[in-house]
Amino acid sequence: MKKTIGALMVAVSAVAMAANANAMEYNPYAGVEYGYSFLNGAEISNNFNSGKIFVGSQYNENFGVEAFYQRSTSDKKASDEGVTKVKYEAYGIDAMGYLPMGCDQEFALVGTAGLAYYDFKGKIEGGAADNEGTWGYRMGAGAEYNVNENIAVRALARYTKLDQRVINSNDMMEYSIGARYNF
């Protein structure tokens, strides 16, 4: 919890300093992404396809913030106890860093850092259900291409360190590809 409060204080301070320097613009956007993720070292279930929606704002050419909601499909695995289904939902916030490239700056390298809550739901067919929730600290990198003034496409890879072990794993990798619409 102390780490969460500390991270939020740093983010709010950065936004406040940029606002005081009159360096901020407000460029809102919304988008969707397809994601493939897996829990490292998980024994029962570890591969997920997911969909994500996000909204955010890019405050200048190098900094933005976005909030997201993500939901995965169920992954089925056979185990000694029977067939197990696992899925998750996540929501959180990410700080986005952009490094524009080229003369027209249509292409940018992207870095992300954020915090999310993951709610894993598991069920053994014919048996009991189990829910496990945990916070995750996310870091990622990728690239974005601005197709035109309003449309951008991006690909990202993210590593998530989970606050507690879920399904015999405490970290997750996610690869995503998506598009956003700039208002």
Side-chain angles (χ1 to χ4, degrees), residues 37-39 48 50 52 68-72 87-94 114-121 131-139 158-166 170-174:
S37 55
F38 58 91
L39 293 163
F48 303 97
S50 63
K52 180 182 355 179
F68 73 92
Y69 171 77
Q70 181 175 2
R71 186 174 185 157
S72 78
K87 62 183 177 179
Y88 73 88
E89 293 182 13
Y91 55 88
I93 189 165
D94 288 318
L115 179 68
Y117 185 77
Y118 292 84
D119 186 18
F120 289 89
K121 297 177 182 181
N131 292 352
E132 296 181 56
T134 184
W135 287 97
Y137 305 97
R138 302 157 41 98
M139 294 182 67
R158 283 193 176 96
Y159 170 78
T160 302
K161 177 70 172 164
L162 301 173
D163 212 19
Q164 64 185 21
R165 290 181 70 82
V166 291
N170 62 352
D171 61 341
M172 182 167 64
M173 281 298 299
E174 178 185 354

Side-chain angles (χ1 to χ4, degrees), residues 83-180:
V83 176
T84 304
K85 288 179 166 181
V86 178
K87 62 183 177 179
Y88 73 88
E89 293 182 13
Y91 55 88
I93 189 165
D94 288 318
M96 309 291 288
Y98 302 93
L99 181 60
M101 308 291 276
C103 296
D104 295 332
Q105 297 188 345
E106 292 175 342
F107 179 77
L109 298 177
V110 180
T112 73
L115 179 68
Y117 185 77
Y118 292 84
D119 186 18
F120 289 89
K121 297 177 182 181
K123 180 172 171 94
I124 297 173
E125 287 186 358
D130 185 25
N131 292 352
E132 296 181 56
T134 184
W135 287 97
Y137 305 97
R138 302 157 41 98
M139 294 182 67
E144 181 173 274
Y145 177 73
N146 293 313
V147 177
N148 60 35
E149 184 178 292
N150 293 7
I151 306 291
V153 294
R154 70 182 187 189
L156 296 170
R158 283 193 176 96
Y159 170 78
T160 302
K161 177 70 172 164
L162 301 173
D163 212 19
Q164 64 185 21
R165 290 181 70 82
V166 291
I167 314 169
N168 299 322
S169 178
N170 62 352
D171 61 341
M172 182 167 64
M173 281 298 299
E174 178 185 354
Y175 302 97
S176 63
I177 187 164
R180 76 178 203 187

Side-chain angles (χ1 to χ4, degrees), residues 51-70:
K52 180 182 355 179
I53 56 173
F54 58 89
V55 294
S57 180
Q58 191 166 340
Y59 297 106
N60 59 37
E61 69 179 13
N62 299 111
F63 177 72
V65 175
E66 71 182 39
F68 73 92
Y69 171 77
Q70 181 175 2

